[in-house]
Amino acid sequence: MGPFDVLLSIFSMVFKMLNLVGILREIRLRILEYIFGKRGVCIRPPTNYILNLPAYVIARKIKQRELTCEEASKAFIERIYEVNPLLNAVVGDRFEEAIGEARYIDEVLDSDGLEYKEEKAALLSKPLLGVPVTVKESLACKGLSHSAGLLVRKDTIASEDAKVIENLRKAGAIPIAVTNCSELCMWCETDNHLYGRTNNPYDTSKMAGGSSGGEGSIISAAGSVCGVGSDVGGSVRIPAFYNGIFGHKPSPSIVPNEGHFPEASNGVNEYLVMGPMCRYADDLVPMLKAIAGLKAFELRLDERVELSSLKVYTISESYFPFLTSRVDPELIECQTNVCTFLKERFGATVQEADLKSFQYSPLIWCAMILAEENYKLTEQILRNERDVITLYPFFEIFKYIMGYSKYHYITMTAAGIQHLKDSLPDFSSSFVQVGIKLREELQDFLGNDGILLYPSSPNTALLHQSSSLAPLNFSFTAIFNVMNLPVTQCPLGLNRKGLPLGIQIVAGRNNDKLSIAVAKQLESEFGGWREWFPGKGSRQKTT
């Protein structure tokens, strides 16, 4: 038996275990939902015009005094109060502090006194002046919860800002709230025992994705215009896709990771990235420049992007990852429409890339993540509680099914995989080599003028808990983290049931400006973020 057969057997076993746990958990939840009559709803679009403005327009209007900073902050805060009871996206806020900061900005901008002259000039130079933003709770925001959804960290309060939040403040943005994430940022649905489950604004019976699901949900619902998530396997792009907004995974080592929990070891630091999440494509560049700080110059984001020589690559469905769901025909149709548009509008060449290794995406991602010498996830996460998971995994799974465990079953699975890695011979080295070769192939043919179009997920937003029935679907996004490539998730309107469609646009390393430029063109053609309408079986409601 070769290394592939051994790892495939392990993954099949894990797949079956998650399938069983997910089914049992789902049965219990469905019984409770039937008893209490829970039903999905679709929230109403915002009525305040401020909520529909892009971030760069809000900043411009504040500088030109067409809009006060306080008005902008209050508009989004009021919207959060309106929609959050339905969504459970925001889990901590600094509304009073934010309004105080906004009033001070207005005071300086409205003053003609010499004492404010230099400070006023400094404020006017800030690209995101007065823009209210939200951030994922796994990023430290001074004075607010910093648990990453872990029950044993429920009393952890950030003593200082993460580096990206510090950079946002320097750019003039005002953090107003932190948003829910999956436990320890390790799952594609945002649900934890500390804050509960986040819902999708298009249909609250559907998941918001993960792990940055709170960000995706509240931005889509116009409770925030833009924000920041973290991504080691698709945690920015999956919720951006499910909630119909833009999400960008930057090239590695550009945006700082300091202040994120869980922390990344030296090796995984290349794979874990902080990325912007926005309703409008035009906000991606100013947000990326802001959170990257001084290193943003390496991406040359202000350079003009020429699309007339664009090369577009796709991958055959036969090479999609094994043990994943079949890709929805509507998503395949979207990809075809995008190819046709780029070919007709810009004369782009479109061809299928011969990348058979993509079918091993789950194995490549796991092998390359676990191969990092300093990667000790469970030791960092569970600390003194680690032995409970290691010694009694089946007991913890039983407690989970019954609703009494302190941990999400993905945490237990990660602990088990880490334990297996330490106990068994190394079978993953061959897949690390496959990954390195694939990385070189991708970078070679993408170059400076090529993009790869790839599904953001095989399905649109699923019912809550359904992701456990296909736990390897995350590999559609995760593979690009270990490939060290920038990726922009671009919304492409809504499907027949009123749920968001989308696609990933992949570019060569440090060529983030190309994938973002293409996303802007697709937004103009296909509409980008769309307001909601009630899908089949849902009803419209606000609180």
Side-chain angles (χ1 to χ4, degrees), residues 249-252 270-271 439 443 479-486 507-510:
K249 184 198 87 65
S251 295
E270 281 255 303
Y271 306 148
R439 184 192 294 166
Q443 185 60 54
I479 186 63
F480 299 111
N481 292 78
V482 294
M483 295 297 101
N484 291 339
L485 299 175
R509 181 164 181 168
N510 286 2

Side-chain angles (χ1 to χ4, degrees), residues 102-115:
R103 285 173 178 164
Y104 181 75
I105 292 173
D106 288 332
E107 180 184 344
V108 173
L109 295 181
D110 291 334
S111 173
D112 293 327
L114 293 176
E115 70 272 19

Side-chain angles (χ1 to χ4, degrees), residues 14-310:
V14 172
F15 178 84
K16 291 174 182 176
M17 182 189 74
L18 292 177
N19 203 341
L20 175 61
V21 172
I23 290 172
L24 292 173
R25 172 76 165 177
E26 183 68 11
I27 289 172
R28 187 176 71 85
L29 289 171
R30 288 290 171 257
I31 291 173
L32 291 174
E33 288 181 0
Y34 178 78
I35 293 173
F36 292 104
K38 294 182 69 175
R39 183 182 173 195
V41 300
C42 170
I43 69 171
R44 288 178 185 160
T47 55
N48 189 327
Y49 84 98
I50 296 173
L51 301 177
N52 285 321
L53 297 176
Y56 79 93
V57 174
I58 292 174
R60 186 186 69 205
K61 285 182 173 292
I62 288 173
K63 292 176 183 180
Q64 296 174 351
R65 309 313 292 145
E66 298 172 9
L67 175 69
T68 69
C69 191
E70 184 176 355
E71 285 176 327
S73 294
K74 283 186 174 179
F76 285 99
I77 289 170
E78 288 171 5
R79 180 64 173 175
I80 290 173
Y81 278 126
E82 179 185 6
V83 301
N84 201 54
L86 284 172
L87 301 178
N88 189 37
V90 168
V91 295
D93 67 76
R94 52 186 308 277
F95 293 158
E96 291 186 9
E97 296 91 335
I99 291 174
E101 292 166 9
R103 285 173 178 164
Y104 181 75
I105 292 173
D106 288 332
E107 180 184 344
V108 173
L109 295 181
D110 291 334
S111 173
D112 293 327
L114 293 176
E115 70 272 19
Y116 285 127
K117 183 177 181 181
E118 291 186 5
E119 188 173 0
K120 185 175 182 178
L123 286 178
L124 290 172
S125 68
K126 296 180 183 293
L128 295 176
L129 182 64
V131 175
V133 297
T134 47
V135 292
K136 187 177 183 179
E137 195 259 9
S138 61
L139 282 160
C141 186
K142 186 177 181 179
L144 298 183
S145 172
H146 187 215
S147 67
L150 189 63
L151 195 59
V152 297
R153 284 176 58 91
K154 65 179 180 179
D155 297 322
T156 303
I157 302 298
S159 58
E160 58 184 17
D161 286 335
K163 186 64 178 177
V164 291
I165 297 178
E166 183 183 316
N167 287 345
L168 279 172
R169 289 181 179 277
K170 289 178 180 178
I174 301 176
I176 59 174
V178 292
T179 54
N180 203 15
C181 59
S182 59
E183 186 174 282
L184 300 163
C185 306
M186 289 199 298
W187 192 227
C188 50
E189 175 164 18
T190 294
D191 187 11
N192 59 67
H193 293 307
L194 183 55
Y195 295 117
R197 187 171 69 191
T198 296
N199 299 319
N200 192 303
Y202 292 88
D203 181 347
T204 55
S205 70
K206 302 294 193 297
M207 64 177 68
S211 61
S212 309
E215 277 299 295
S217 178
I218 202 64
I219 292 171
S220 177
S224 176
V225 63
C226 51
V228 184
S230 60
D231 191 316
V232 75
S235 290
V236 161
R237 291 159 287 154
I238 294 172
F241 168 63
Y242 281 173
N243 293 284
I245 64 172
F246 294 87
H248 182 72
K249 184 198 87 65
S251 295
S253 304
I254 299 294
V255 180
N257 289 338
E258 293 91 339
H260 184 270
F261 182 87
E263 301 171 8
S265 64
N266 292 335
V268 178
N269 201 50
E270 281 255 303
Y271 306 148
L272 173 66
V273 293
M274 310 298 118
M277 301 175 71
C278 313
R279 245 179 303 146
Y280 305 105
D282 282 336
D283 287 334
L284 286 171
V285 166
M287 274 294 290
L288 181 54
K289 289 169 69 175
I291 63 177
L294 296 176
K295 295 205 72 176
F297 80 94
E298 295 184 26
L299 301 181
R300 307 182 308 282
L301 294 169
D302 292 326
E303 290 184 5
R304 177 180 172 82
V305 178
E306 181 58 60
L307 297 180
S308 60
S309 58
L310 186 67

